[in-house]
């Protein structure tokens, strides 16, 4: 069984997120999403509209997702890779190069092109300016 992991906040779930998760699942049979906790979002300079529990419920409902775990800090990726026997790490190419160090763990690191013209911040500003 090939196991894939990805990380993110996934707030105000939109088709860009779904596109990422759909493509990530194509790299294996089992997809884990490490979902940023509300506390970690603060470290990322983000404040999500939905709480962790609500974001978790939404992401768990996605057909491509097999397991959702909490992302609590920047430094858990290597531990996660070992604990969950990950074969491939996938993330959007806005992070290109940032996680190449994970290759030293003997896994594939894949940066997928982001879906253009959609983002949570775009949704928020569009709604704000309605
Ligand atoms: N994404 C995408 N296309 C978009 C918007 C987002 O492909 N139009 C991807 C991002 O590249 C990321 C995932 O969807 O792979 C989740 O996006 P965010 O919730 O913004 O994730 P981010 O805050 O970048 O968290 O440790 C890594 C971080 O937790 C990543």
């Amino acid at each position: 069984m090939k196991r894939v992991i990805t990380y993110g906040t996934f707030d105000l779930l939109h088709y860009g997120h779904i596109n990422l998760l759909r493509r990530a699942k194509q790299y294996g049979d089992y997809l884990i999403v490490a979902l940023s906790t509300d506390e970690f979002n603060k470290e990322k300079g983000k404040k999500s509209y939905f709480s962790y529990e609500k974001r978790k419920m939404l992401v768990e409902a996605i057909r491509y997702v097999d397991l959702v775990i909490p992302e609590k800090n920047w430094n858990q990726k290597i531990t996660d890779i070992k604990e969950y026997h990950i074969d491939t790490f996938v993330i959007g190419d806005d992070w290109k190069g940032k996680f190449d160090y994970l290759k030293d763990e003997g896994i594939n690191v894949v940066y997928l092109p982001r879906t253009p013209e959609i983002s949570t911040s775009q949704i928020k500003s569009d709604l704000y300016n309605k």
Side-chain angles (χ1 to χ4, degrees), residues 3-115:
R3 301 159 74 82
V4 185
I5 196 165
T6 191
Y7 292 73
T9 299
F10 294 95
D11 191 30
L12 296 183
L13 206 56
H14 55 68
Y15 62 91
H17 296 137
I18 303 301
N19 270 343
L20 187 284
L21 295 170
R22 177 180 48 74
R23 287 175 293 161
K25 186 57 177 283
Q26 289 169 351
Y27 285 85
D29 318 284
Y30 191 86
L31 174 61
I32 299 175
V33 175
L35 190 66
S36 309
T37 61
D38 297 332
E39 297 72 24
F40 181 48
N41 272 333
K42 285 192 192 107
E43 269 189 62
K44 288 167 57 175
K46 285 189 164 185
K47 178 158 178 14
S48 61
Y49 180 80
F50 289 125
S51 67
Y52 174 79
E53 285 311 319
K54 291 194 171 60
R55 289 182 285 117
K56 181 171 186 281
M57 187 255 266
L58 286 160
V59 173
E60 282 175 339
I62 298 169
R63 66 171 60 202
Y64 308 116
V65 177
D66 297 286
L67 177 67
V68 178
I69 63 172
E71 180 187 28
K72 298 178 181 168
N73 59 63
W74 290 112
N75 315 309
Q76 69 184 71
K77 293 182 174 70
I78 291 176
T79 315
D80 292 344
I81 284 162
K82 292 181 176 137
E83 184 176 344
Y84 294 97
H85 311 290
I86 298 300
D87 301 286
T88 303
F89 167 91
V90 177
I91 201 158
D93 62 3
D94 42 324
W95 293 93
K96 193 161 184 55
K98 297 286 190 305
F99 301 114
D100 288 353
Y101 68 90
L102 298 175
K103 291 176 184 170
D104 299 342
E105 301 303 313
I107 68 162
N108 307 311
V109 174
V110 176
Y111 300 101
L112 294 174
R114 276 174 73 91
T115 302

